[in-house]
Amino acid sequence: MAPRVFIDGHIGTTGLRIRDWLVGRSDLEVFELPEERRKDTAARRDALASSDLAVLCLPDDAAREAVALAQGTRARILDASSAHRVTPGWVFGLPELAPEQRAAIAGASRVSNAGCWASATILLLRPLVDAGLVPRDAPITLHGLSGYSGGGKELIAKWEDPAGGLLTHVYEAPYALDRVHKHAPEMTRWSGLAHEPQFSPAVGPFRCGMRLQIPLHATLLAHGVSGKSIWEALHSRYRGEPFVRVLPIVEPLGADDRAFDPRACNDTNRIELRVLPHPSGHVLLMAVLDNLGKGAAGVAIQNLNLMLGLPEARGLPA
């Protein structure tokens, strides 16, 4: 029999994308509760108990409630919220994190899906920290630009409201300047950093797509560390990965105004990593991904496939 997969929270942006990408899979039995019962505690408990794997696409508090409801059942949990990303006993759901991560995900009963900003940060920095190219205690700054779907239905409605005129916005709109971003703990822990990075996220007038930039000042880098050696470390780490592409260094960079389109990976599970050396010795790291693809639903399906013993890339556009 095909494994039963329950999507709890299927009407949210991540849940909808997961469901869309699982449509037509004959190797899974995907189900969700009807609208009138999706908040019914008894119905949710029964659905969790009858599933082989439950995918939680819920706000953090509701995800914690679902985990409590699943206690004592056979259900394995894949949580797409940020509630458990640094919680002891949970496996972090980013298969490319480290060589042993896939086995850990495959054998886990509780997996916390990586966040979009965190995935980009970790995939750029973790190999460099592990190799000693970037010190663990380096003061790291991040600048991110995302499509407005990253904020869920409320932000989508705000940006797409004709009365607001935001879709004709001619510059990015910074946010979370007055608070610690909820992805900061996982960025710090799973990148291997000793200190929380300074993160300045922003939203742009497009629905999907994401670009993260990490400037590395020359004084942060050990003697002899260059853009080339950083590129080689990333290329070596991700060689053969189906969804991580380390793009070649282009020298001179030139003036292609469309080179860094945050929408370049939309509708795929691909993330593209770049290393951009500067003549002064500074290095700019960059990642582009679909915030609802590799940043959310795509990596969730990678984790789902691993947890159920299925080919990791099944059903995922590269």
Side-chain angles (χ1 to χ4, degrees):
M1 295 177 61
R4 284 173 55 81
V5 175
F6 170 48
I7 302 178
D8 193 3
H10 64 280
I11 66 169
T13 51
T14 298
L16 287 170
R17 177 71 72 90
I18 290 173
R19 188 174 65 172
D20 287 348
W21 280 5
L22 293 180
V23 167
R25 291 270 302 258
S26 60
D27 57 343
L28 301 172
E29 181 188 344
V30 181
F31 72 103
E32 58 259 343
L33 292 174
E35 175 63 25
E36 65 275 12
R37 300 189 69 199
R38 67 182 182 87
K39 294 186 178 181
D40 182 279
T41 299
R44 291 176 68 206
R45 184 184 292 111
D46 290 345
L48 288 161
S50 68
S51 66
D52 295 295
L53 179 65
V55 184
L56 310 182
C57 303
L58 301 164
D60 287 5
D61 287 343
R64 294 185 185 98
E65 177 186 329
V67 172
L69 291 174
Q71 292 297 326
T73 74
R74 66 187 177 91
R76 300 167 75 192
I77 302 292
L78 173 58
D79 182 10
S81 82
S82 61
H84 299 102
R85 289 174 182 163
V86 294
T87 300
W90 285 72
V91 171
F92 189 59
L94 184 60
E96 301 90 354
L97 174 67
E100 67 275 8
Q101 200 66 14
R102 286 182 166 88
I105 293 167
S109 63
R110 298 290 184 267
V111 174
S112 185
N113 211 52
C116 51
W117 292 121
S119 291
T121 302
I122 294 162
L123 291 176
L124 282 170
L125 287 177
R126 177 64 179 265
L128 309 183
V129 173
D130 285 349
L133 301 179
V134 171
R136 287 190 67 251
D137 61 354
I140 297 296
T141 61
L142 316 172
H143 174 68
L145 174 61
S146 174
Y148 54 80
S149 63
K153 289 189 170 183
E154 184 176 339
L155 199 63
I156 291 171
K158 176 182 177 180
W159 276 79
E160 294 186 347
D161 181 358
L166 285 174
L167 290 184
T168 59
H169 211 41
V170 294
Y171 54 89
E172 62 186 39
Y175 75 96
L177 299 181
D178 58 345
R179 63 185 186 273
V180 176
H181 195 281
K182 67 178 183 177
H183 290 188
E186 62 185 289
M187 288 175 174
T188 308
R189 177 170 178 180
W190 301 113
S191 293
L193 298 173
H195 309 296
E196 178 187 309
Q198 180 186 11
F199 180 35
S200 301
V203 179
F206 51 95
R207 186 179 179 94
C208 284
M210 174 173 281
R211 184 179 69 221
L212 181 82
Q213 297 173 204
I214 307 178
L216 299 177
H217 195 279
T219 57
L220 295 179
L221 305 176
H223 179 72
V225 175
S226 64
K228 182 179 179 182
S229 58
I230 287 173
W231 182 89
E232 288 172 347
L234 292 175
H235 184 262
S236 174
R237 173 65 186 86
Y238 299 121
R239 184 183 292 114
E241 287 288 353
F243 300 115
V244 183
R245 297 185 186 175
V246 182
L247 301 182
I249 294 178
V250 178
E251 294 182 340
L253 183 60
D256 182 352
D257 294 332
R258 301 181 185 276
F260 308 131
D261 188 343
R263 303 165 299 174
C265 295
N266 278 7
D267 301 316
T268 77
N269 191 49
R270 185 174 74 251
I271 183 169
E272 295 179 349
L273 309 182
R274 290 182 185 266
V275 178
L276 306 171
H278 191 270
S280 61
H282 309 316
V283 176
L284 179 64
L285 307 179
M286 184 182 295
V288 171
L289 66 160
D290 183 343
N291 55 289
L292 293 181
K294 182 61 174 165
V299 71
I301 293 173
Q302 282 183 262
N303 292 325
L304 176 153
N305 285 336
L306 288 167
M307 293 175 76
L308 295 176
L310 302 171
E312 180 184 341
R314 181 169 291 173
L316 287 169

